[in-house]
Amino acid sequence: MRKSTGSLLHRQQHRRYLHRARPEPVHRLAAPISTTQVDVTESSDTRETKIPMTPARGLAHLERHNVTPAKLLEACPTFVGMAKMVANGETPDANWPCLLAAGKSIAISCGASGQLLEQAVRTVGPEYTAAMIAWLYEHSSEQLFNTGKRIRSFGGYMTFLVNIARDKNVLDIGDKFDRRSRQLEELRQ
């Protein structure tokens, strides 16, 4: 007796499902990274030390890329406009606490949770969090007028940036501001 192709198709789909549902072998699972441990990895010519993420590293990253509150306000005019709306028409002062306060209000209105904002401040520091919010808002507002990659979820993108900073020690907002500064210089010329 010959089986119908429907049941054959069903068995093939079931096998694919079981294959995808198998757990990863134990030897492939990575150990979770603790924020208290310091990993030393060998590179081809030098030894690198991965330092756990701290708020001081966030500020040091911004200082290394010359991201100051004044430069942030200059590079993110859309963020400044929204910050004025949040502050009843007043331009935010060019200091980190004022920018963070305005940034928190903007981020919450864009869909980030208060818990995420507190986690960001604890992980990368208030200065880096303010810069991250400003860049994300500026970038997401530019996306409305340009084609290409689009930020679909402000809170989701911010969660991603905080998680890679915490888990992989990757800080890249300074690089993004460097790129933005070069773009502004090209437009002025």
Side-chain angles (χ1 to χ4, degrees):
M1 179 171 167
R2 186 173 166 205
K3 293 189 179 183
S4 68
T5 57
S7 63
L8 177 65
L9 178 63
H10 176 73
R11 281 195 315 267
Q12 289 172 342
Q13 289 174 342
H14 186 68
R15 268 191 238 123
R16 279 195 297 261
Y17 170 77
L18 289 176
H19 178 71
R20 277 186 257 138
R22 287 186 190 140
E24 280 290 314
V26 175
H27 68 277
R28 288 190 181 176
L29 296 176
I33 299 174
S34 168
T35 55
T36 57
Q37 74 185 30
V38 176
D39 297 330
V40 178
T41 57
E42 290 289 332
S43 133
S44 60
D45 51 357
T46 61
R47 292 183 77 184
E48 294 180 20
T49 303
K50 289 184 183 177
I51 302 169
M53 184 55 59
T54 61
R57 286 200 51 213
L59 179 59
H61 175 81
L62 294 176
E63 289 174 349
R64 187 170 50 251
H65 288 279
N66 297 319
V67 178
T68 62
K71 285 187 179 182
L72 186 138
L73 292 174
E74 180 184 332
C76 301
T78 309
F79 173 79
V80 173
M82 185 63 165
K84 279 183 183 179
M85 287 176 54
V86 168
N88 299 323
E90 296 179 18
T91 304
D93 294 335
N95 62 47
W96 291 120
C98 287
L99 292 176
L100 180 62
K104 281 184 173 182
S105 299
I106 292 170
I108 288 173
S109 70
C110 290
S113 68
Q115 183 181 4
L116 171 62
L117 294 170
E118 292 306 314
Q119 179 186 2
V121 169
R122 278 193 317 270
T123 304
V124 293
E127 300 86 2
Y128 190 88
T129 302
M132 182 183 347
I133 293 169
W135 180 83
L136 278 171
Y137 187 78
E138 191 70 25
H139 189 66
S140 62
S141 63
E142 283 179 358
Q143 295 298 318
L144 296 174
F145 305 107
N146 298 334
T147 58
K149 292 183 179 177
R150 188 169 83 86
I151 296 176
R152 293 185 184 164
S153 169
F154 188 94
Y157 201 120
M158 189 170 171
T159 301
F160 169 74
L161 291 174
V162 171
N163 287 343
I164 65 168
R166 182 191 64 225
D167 299 339
K168 298 183 180 181
N169 286 338
V170 174
L171 296 172
D172 65 347
I173 292 295
D175 300 327
K176 294 176 191 310
F177 273 104
D178 287 345
R179 227 173 303 141
R180 177 86 177 144
S181 296
R182 285 194 300 272
Q183 289 171 348
L184 290 172
E185 286 298 320
E186 289 173 3
L187 290 174
R188 288 185 192 131
Q189 294 176 355

